[in-house]
Amino acid sequence: MDVTGASSGGRHGARVLSLATLVGLDRARRTPSVSDRLPIPAGMTLPLGCDAVAVPAALGAQLLPRLPHVGCVYADRAHWWWIVPSDSDVALEWPTPARYTAGAVVTRREHGSGAGPGPVELIHRPHGTLPYTPPIPLYLALCRVTGATPAWSRPLSA
């Protein structure tokens, strides 16, 4: 799908934007401040961008041994966050209770002292310079532990 927008360049003064470009522009518009993001360890690179999948802590411990490769994982007492490449939510419905967050944003309620989930800490760092957990194995493991059916395995309706 292409959208034509006003521009001084191109044929007849029009510029064509693809759907991928529009999605990227929307994500850039919604990008949070750096202080809201999970901090990527020094020496690691993000050639594929950076999003996160949050799961309740009880599920996080069940997922870890089911994965062939684990990237950076952050946790507090309530949640675990898995770093995945940007746009790992395209064509995937992450099963409940997982939350997909563009930009690896941590949203937490403010709590009084001594209450709440505690600080977010890095609990797993992979060898090498890439912080990613591959999203498809993570998705399948999450489907397994939650009893969800992967989107591509569901029957189609007419």
Side-chain angles (χ1 to χ4, degrees), residues 14-84:
R15 178 175 54 158
V16 177
L17 301 174
S18 70
L19 182 57
T21 301
L22 292 173
V23 169
L25 290 171
D26 183 54
R27 282 184 183 254
R29 182 182 58 79
R30 293 181 291 150
T31 300
S33 67
V34 173
S35 63
D36 296 331
R37 292 183 181 162
L38 293 169
I40 301 304
M44 298 202 118
T45 60
L46 298 170
L48 302 175
C50 182
D51 291 347
V53 177
V55 299
L59 287 181
Q62 294 176 47
L63 291 171
L64 199 57
R66 295 176 181 266
L67 296 169
H69 175 77
V70 178
C72 287
V73 180
Y74 296 83
D76 62 18
R77 288 187 293 262
H79 296 93
W80 286 26
W81 290 268
W82 306 78
I83 299 298
V84 295

